[in-house]
Amino acid sequence: IVIVCKAAVAWEPNKPLKMEEIQVAPPQADEVRIKIVATAVCHSDLYHLLENRNTDGFPTVLGHEAAGVVESVGEGVTEFQPGDKVIPVFLSQCGECRFCKSPKTNQCVTAWTRIHQDLMASVESRLSCNGKRLHQFMGTSTFSEYTVVHQTAVAKIDPNAPLDKVCLIGCGISTGYGAAVNTAKVEPGSTCAVFGLGAVGLAAVMGCKSAGAERIIAVDIIADKFEKAKVFGATDFVNPKDHDRPINQVLADMTSGGVDYSIECAGKVEVMRSALESCVGSWGVSVIVGWTDVCDVAVRPGQLVAGRTWKGSVFGGKVGIPGMVQAYLDKKLKLDEFITHKMTLDQVNDAIDLMKQCKCIRTVLTVCQQ
């Protein structure tokens, strides 16, 4: 049957979301319908709403960092059943292609065939409002009480997991943590720099700490963030506004020539270049994590030929959602410390404003009662 429920709809860019009564169709073959219990606001939601220049991606239901409970399943779904606790993911994994079978990547061959990347929305949509089709943002659309997701984009998690905490694993925490551990492959005793101290950057700091880095330099233009960064393992803080020379020169002086690893989590092309140039020239590894698709990034070849490596990371590589949840339950992964605000779905615009003003790390919205 069709479910009628509440959702926050983005009818057009740069405008507040509007709470609407929407229709959620039954799951079709290989699909899972999920009751969303908790969802967080991520900068990628803001990017689509405020920065993406393609207006064809509207109307849409945003949200992609969430956790919930399976309500029903479509034909052919055997791995999930009603009542399972799950995390929907924007990067699906078929488990069969050569990429899924490789330990080197999480870039499933079929994942991006189900997503219009220019629209940041799935090809199929089971959501509608007053007869008008709504895009499903990144195939998930978790700013809704119910959503429908392809079974390859759902991860079953421990039934004891608190959904209002582990929802963060659906994007930001996995992205930052995995960038350090899986993509950069930070080594024990190394020196790292993390640029941008939002949730993703703080998770990268946590990943560096977990990997055994001896020195972790947190870089941000908001000085208040250092106290939070220390909680996750940062040893030093550098505010570029405090210096009258390029930040890469500052870090080079602090580290006898540059850091071993730098992780960019700001989504700004000028920061991407600074992060690269902050690495030691002979072996430094710099990882781009922050997302933007509106500007080119440029660097002189001389910054690379001596031995630097420049890499990108999406969703933290092979992080393994159930394993991340278990690490939290085993107290080996911090999540509670990222949550600065708790609200309800109908307060989503307030949550967006907090993020726009850099006044939160993560705001978790209660959507449905479990």
Side-chain angles (χ1 to χ4, degrees):
I1 61 170
V2 173
I3 288 179
V4 178
C5 68
K6 293 180 180 179
V9 178
W11 287 104
E12 53 186 319
N14 293 297
K15 294 292 178 63
L17 308 189
K18 187 177 180 182
M19 293 302 300
E20 301 278 13
E21 192 173 78
I22 72 165
Q23 293 74 47
V24 182
Q28 302 302 300
D30 299 322
E31 293 178 346
V32 179
R33 188 158 61 183
I34 302 169
K35 178 173 76 172
I36 300 298
V37 173
T39 187
V41 178
C42 173
H43 188 268
S44 298
D45 301 308
L46 270 67
Y47 173 84
H48 184 68
L49 183 65
L50 306 174
E51 299 178 46
N52 192 354
R53 297 171 182 173
N54 192 340
T55 58
D56 291 337
F58 296 85
T60 188
V61 177
L62 298 170
H64 63 286
E65 188 175 279
V69 178
V70 173
E71 180 272 336
S72 59
V73 300
E75 182 183 351
V77 176
T78 58
E79 185 180 345
F80 304 97
Q81 58 186 357
D84 286 344
K85 285 187 175 182
V86 294
I87 292 177
V89 293
F90 65 89
L91 187 60
S92 62
Q93 304 284 291
C94 73
E96 300 297 328
C97 70
R98 70 187 185 98
F99 287 176
C100 280
K101 291 180 178 180
S102 169
K104 298 179 180 179
T105 183
N106 58 4
Q107 297 295 300
C108 172
V109 169
T110 62
W112 298 115
T113 65
R114 297 195 180 96
I115 302 289
H116 287 300
Q117 292 192 54
D118 56 337
L119 304 181
M120 298 183 78
S122 55
V123 175
E124 300 288 340
S125 177
R126 305 293 172 224
L127 311 184
S128 61
C129 182
N130 300 324
K132 187 173 182 62
R133 181 183 188 269
L134 300 174
H135 287 302
Q136 284 194 233
F137 181 69
M138 298 306 292
T140 53
S141 286
T142 60
F143 291 174
S144 173
E145 292 178 330
Y146 289 85
T147 191
V148 177
V149 179
H150 195 275
Q151 65 173 338
T152 60
V154 182
K156 186 190 298 185
I157 61 173
D158 191 301
N160 295 312
L163 299 182
D164 61 336
K165 305 294 196 304
V166 300
C167 61
L168 302 186
I169 292 173
C171 182
I173 309 312
S174 298
T175 297
Y177 187 89
V181 174
N182 298 325
T183 309
K185 299 187 186 302
V186 170
E187 296 175 324
S190 60
T191 298
C192 304
V194 176
F195 290 72
L197 299 177
V200 174
L202 293 173
V205 169
M206 180 170 63
C208 292
K209 175 72 172 178
S210 176
E214 184 174 309
R215 191 176 185 187
I216 304 168
I217 304 170
V219 183
D220 202 289
I221 59 174
I222 300 176
D224 293 347
K225 291 185 176 182
F226 184 46
E227 289 304 312
K228 180 67 78 169
K230 284 200 294 188
V231 171
F232 295 99
T235 58
D236 301 79
F237 180 77
V238 175
N239 185 340
K241 289 184 174 181
D242 293 340
H243 301 274
D244 56 5
R245 57 198 177 114
I247 193 66
N248 62 293
Q249 294 179 14
V250 174
L251 294 185
D253 288 347
M254 291 174 63
T255 58
S256 301
V259 299
D260 300 304
Y261 303 94
S262 67
I263 303 173
E264 181 281 326
C265 302
K268 306 292 184 183
V269 294
E270 60 273 16
V271 180
M272 295 172 187
R273 178 167 180 169
S274 292
L276 174 70
E277 294 174 345
S278 297
C279 285
V280 64
S282 300
W283 62 74
V285 175
S286 186
V287 180
I288 295 173
V289 183
W291 171 257
T292 184
D293 198 29
V294 296
C295 298
D296 292 335
V297 61
V299 66
R300 292 185 178 182
Q303 297 291 351
L304 295 169
V305 294
R308 283 190 180 101
T309 300
W310 210 5
K311 308 173 74 173
S313 184
V314 175
F315 200 29
K318 295 277 192 183
V319 291
I321 298 297
M324 292 282 282
V325 171
Q326 191 59 52
Y328 170 72
L329 294 176
D330 293 341
K331 303 188 185 305
K332 296 177 180 178
L333 186 81
K334 297 180 187 297
L335 290 180
D336 302 52
E337 293 82 357
F338 288 94
I339 301 170
T340 53
H341 298 78
K342 296 181 180 180
M343 298 182 178
T344 56
L345 181 61
D346 58 5
Q347 296 173 294
V348 63
N349 288 310
D350 295 331
I352 289 172
D353 287 340
L354 282 173
M355 180 161 280
K356 283 166 60 177
Q357 298 166 22
C358 297
K359 292 183 177 179
C360 69
I361 300 300
R362 271 296 187 266
T363 298
V364 173
L365 307 175
T366 298
V367 183
C368 290
Q369 295 301 313
Q370 191 168 313

